[in-house]
Amino acid sequence: METKRLKMMNELIIPDAVLVEKIYFIRNQKVMMDRDLAVLYGVETKRLKEAVKRNIRRFPPDFMFQMNEVEFANWRTQIATSNSEKMGLRHAPFCFTEPGVTMLSCILNSSQSIAVNIRLIRIFTRLRESLLMHKDILLKLEQLENQVTGNSADVKKIFTVLRQLIHKAEKPRKKIGYKTN
């Protein structure tokens, strides 16, 4: 039995990059959408939502939330879906935070869902570690800046440019498509 389970986990070959693409940043949280998780777990989105609704007490607001109308409209325009991909997008999706994704493994108990969940938890952990590493680098840069003696304009320029690169503001994208006057 144990070898069969390990074999299943090894056969599940989904590149990490594909899984990372399925993580969105909504309400200042890293989340995954119900439809993406359903595909990964090998179930219909409708069935995943039914399982969640049957076990709703396991999903407090910090584990899962449903997009509001504004978030849903913005998200739909950002993903630029084709007509076939829009199926299932009539209703705002459930958004699962990292603990919510973990909780899904408790209610979806198939081998595939467990294997996918283990991979997702590892990816969330790596993302968190990466964020901490960037904060450490920023802190060390600030310490270095404070240690530099004198008021060299070149050194200040370097740190200004580095901060701009790290905190690069995203420009609003120009909307495309049919425009009415």
Side-chain angles (χ1 to χ4, degrees), residues 4-165:
K4 183 179 178 183
R5 187 167 40 140
L6 289 174
K7 184 179 177 188
M8 174 64 180
M9 288 176 67
N10 290 334
E11 287 177 1
L12 185 67
I13 301 175
I14 302 170
D16 285 354
V18 170
L19 296 175
V20 170
E21 286 176 2
K22 304 296 183 190
I23 299 173
Y24 299 94
F25 201 69
I26 300 173
R27 295 186 192 175
N28 295 321
Q29 299 180 74
K30 294 184 300 279
V31 298
M32 294 190 75
M33 301 297 153
D34 53 10
R35 72 187 224 147
D36 294 332
L37 288 165
V39 169
L40 292 170
Y41 294 153
V43 299
E44 293 179 26
T45 305
K46 179 180 179 178
R47 300 296 170 229
L48 183 137
K49 284 185 169 187
E50 286 173 355
V52 169
K53 288 176 183 176
R54 280 193 309 268
N55 296 279
I56 198 67
R57 289 187 357 211
R58 293 178 182 254
F59 296 95
D62 58 327
F63 281 32
M64 180 204 73
F65 59 87
Q66 191 167 13
M67 283 186 194
N68 62 36
E69 289 181 26
V70 173
E71 291 166 336
F72 184 48
N74 287 337
W75 182 71
R76 284 181 73 177
T77 59
Q78 288 176 4
I79 61 171
T81 57
S82 68
N83 284 341
S84 64
E85 291 174 324
K86 285 183 183 178
M87 294 190 67
L89 284 178
R90 293 178 296 273
H91 306 288
F94 289 166
C95 302
F96 294 89
T97 62
E98 182 179 355
V101 170
T102 304
M103 187 59 73
L104 276 174
S105 69
C106 296
I107 63 170
L108 300 174
N109 204 10
S110 70
S111 297
Q112 183 173 344
S113 68
I114 292 169
V116 168
N117 244 352
I118 290 169
R119 294 270 315 279
L120 290 174
I121 291 167
R122 288 180 177 150
I123 288 173
F124 273 115
T125 302
R126 280 200 310 263
L127 287 173
R128 190 172 34 261
E129 288 170 354
S130 175
L131 265 171
L132 289 173
M133 187 175 71
H134 289 306
K135 287 182 180 180
D136 288 345
I137 291 171
L138 245 170
L139 181 63
K140 289 186 189 281
L141 279 174
E142 287 178 11
Q143 290 171 350
L144 179 64
E145 181 181 25
N146 292 335
Q147 290 175 358
V148 174
T149 56
N151 290 333
S152 172
D154 291 336
V155 173
K156 286 186 178 185
K157 264 187 199 175
I158 290 170
F159 283 107
T160 303
V161 170
L162 283 172
R163 278 195 195 93
Q164 289 172 350
L165 288 173

